Amino acid sequence: MTDSPVVRLEKDGDIGVIIVNYPPVNALGPGVADGIIECLNTAIADASIKAMVLMGDGRSFIAGADIRGFDANRKRLPIGERTYDVMDRSPKPVVAAIHGFALGGGLENAMGCHYRIAVPSAKVGLPEVLIGILPGGGGTQRLPRLAGVQTALEMIVSGRHVPAPEAKTLGILDEVLPEGADLRASAVAYARKIADARPLPRIRDRDCKADPSVFEAMRKSIARRARNQKAPYNCIAAVEAAATLPFDLGMQREQELFLELVNADEAKALRYAFFAEREAAKLPDMPATARARDLNNAAVVGAGTMGGGIAMSFADFGYDVKIMDATQEALDRGMARIKSNYETSVKRGSLKEDEMQRRFARIHPVAGYDDIKDCDVVIEAVFEEMDVKKPIFAKLDEVMKPGALMFSNTSALDIDQIANMTRRPQDIAGTHFFSPANVMKLFEVVRGSKSSPETLVTAMALGKRIGKISAMAGNTDGFVANRSRAPFNAEMVILLEEGCLPEQVDKAMVDFGYPMGPFAVGDLAGLDIGAAGRRRRAAQDPNYRKLPIADKLVELGRYGQKTGAGWYKYEKGDRTPYPDPEVAKIISDVAAELGVARKTFTDMEILRRLLFSSVNEACRILEEGKAYRASDIDVMWLHGFGFPRYRGGLMYWADGIGVRDVYNQIASWHQQYGSRWAPSRLLRELAESGTSFRDAKPAPFR
Ligand code: T1G
């Protein structure tokens, strides 16, 4: 931190310019709100100042309250003494000049101002719901008055960022400057233009009316997405107060609803997830000199489901991307699948037709290697067999320009074996996308023993650049996400041997907060894929715990949705999973063959059998130095497997139970079930020392 003030007042003639300088995003950290108030009062008292501008230094306006302050229970200024209140009472106009982001308390400060102007690239929003709270600085009372109740409900309950041009259309901004305009000069000129305009346009003076049915309609529309959560409903209640109470009473109601949330488990878990994602971007053992290379175009080898989704991931974020496959027929099929995926998004209304055309036009099917040799990065996404991948990397090594990065989308195979097919292992790493690749955000960067720091830093940056959440994984079977998930996948089938049915397990996990149960997910992904992995591991490990029920389904050709039957049965054209008596019979027959006495399970037992098995494996991953931190594993579970975000992540959730209790339960299952439940060394050490998973010190990354 420089010793310059976090907020300063400068004078451009008769205009006072208040500048916030609290890097990196001008959050309302310690002293910022007080500094704005002090500068406002100074400018108000200065007769030579006719109007004020509020703006941010560096890359942004104000990105909101300092989220770290909530866990620190930092003092909050009382209603009536906050920046917005001082602006409301100001006899002089204040113009908010926005670039970068005006989010949360940032937009609330801008709405305390009398006018709002922005550069075209700016974004505004009230994303508090995403961290389990609600706009607590008048946002729920001012935004409905400024943009209407329906727009305010949609923005506050979704937390989305609204681009400046749209914000202007919605009435949130008074002006969007032309591209390239100087924000400060424009804001000063704007302030001078309105300096004498009276009455001052205070949002609090506006009316706010709404048909009461809109609130019930919003509650109904979020019911599935907001299951087990409180913040979205409090957001709706706060906006409802704006439409039913006078402004000052509405502000008090907002405060009450905010205080119900800020220290609740949901908000604490969501704040944890917010910072865990940002921590995952940090590679503590990389030299500071390692810089990300510029990647201006990309190539994908393999036009299957994953390859097509990867190509879309690039095109969706502005990259030109070439895609190739072994045959023209496979390439044509891949392009048709990409086109169909985009058309589905347009039909659903989540993508505009013209934007779809722009994205599709960035994906270029090409005949072969000669067409991709000048690309900056190539992602291999072919069949998950080493014998298929190795010759591809040998060929890439032959044709790709020097310095091109070559990544494999393999989900489990040895990156070093792949890298050793080339003369440039330093340029090789794994970049594991999760299916569907253009939707799931997890971008697992897998470190080969010879991957250079620059290659790894570039891969992590690439993930962020294409809208993913990057997390580093060591080169171990299944890397980190799938390896930590493997015991879960086994345990869920073993529970069937012991007495459960797929629908019971799925219900327990959906009630816990997963969007979909694991058996239904298996049917969606295809049971044949898991079977190939089980066969490989059984061949490598004589002690591998076979899953006869799962194997039986695959033998019967029950691959899931793609064959109309898997763990569930499906009606034609209907993706709804229906419990299948035939599966129940297979389960009881196999259990009888195994001589397993069937019993009943509670949802809690099911939940803990699945998740504790993964917590134990996550500890092994950490003790082997295959992940930097437990919170990285949480990020992977949030973005790779749909773990409910308002529970923080796998390890965060386990910490809520307590390491000792987790250890004792696993030790007990170890007695009952044998080696697959042997507690990991790290788990035992954490339990003995009373250290949380989050504070676990993993082995140095290797
Ligand atoms: N508080 C504290 N730190 C923050 C922060 C915040 N609001 N926003 C970002 N950071 C840190 C972040 O941890 C990272 O730190 C660095 O800044 C760069 O962030 C009263 C109660 C603004 C869109 O929810 O969405 O206002 O890792 O990597 O990708 O009603 O940051 O470098 O140490 O994300 O360019 C509402 C949260 C708060 C906005 C920029 N505001 N921030 O994205 O950078 S609650 C938010 C973001 C509130 C009021 C209520 C994004 C960004 P480090 P980054 P980015």
Side-chain angles (χ1 to χ4, degrees), residues 24-25 27-28 59-60 63-68 70 76 84 101 103-106 108 126-128 130-131 133-139 161 258 274-275 278-279 282 464:
V25 294
L28 292 160
R59 57 194 277 223
S60 183
D66 181 350
I67 300 172
R68 291 193 190 286
F70 295 122
R76 293 164 46 75
Y84 342 97
F101 298 96
L103 298 173
E108 289 172 315
L126 294 176
E128 289 87 340
L130 303 179
I131 51 172
I133 50 178
L134 58 77
H161 298 174
F258 175 86
F274 173 87
F275 288 114
R278 285 147 182 85
E279 207 54 28
K282 296 169 186 165
K464 179 162 185 172

Side-chain angles (χ1 to χ4, degrees), residues 24-25 59 101 274 277-282 292 295 313-314 316-317 319 431 433 441-445 456-471:
V25 294
R59 57 194 277 223
F101 298 96
F274 173 87
E277 288 162 344
R278 285 147 182 85
E279 207 54 28
K282 296 169 186 165
L295 303 177
S313 296
F314 279 98
D316 291 354
F317 283 83
Y319 278 92
T431 51
F433 290 74
K441 282 189 167 298
L442 181 56
F443 187 78
E444 193 176 26
V445 176
L456 296 171
V457 166
T458 306
M460 294 289 284
L462 172 63
K464 179 162 185 172
R465 177 74 184 70
I466 60 175
K468 305 292 184 185
I469 300 281
S470 301

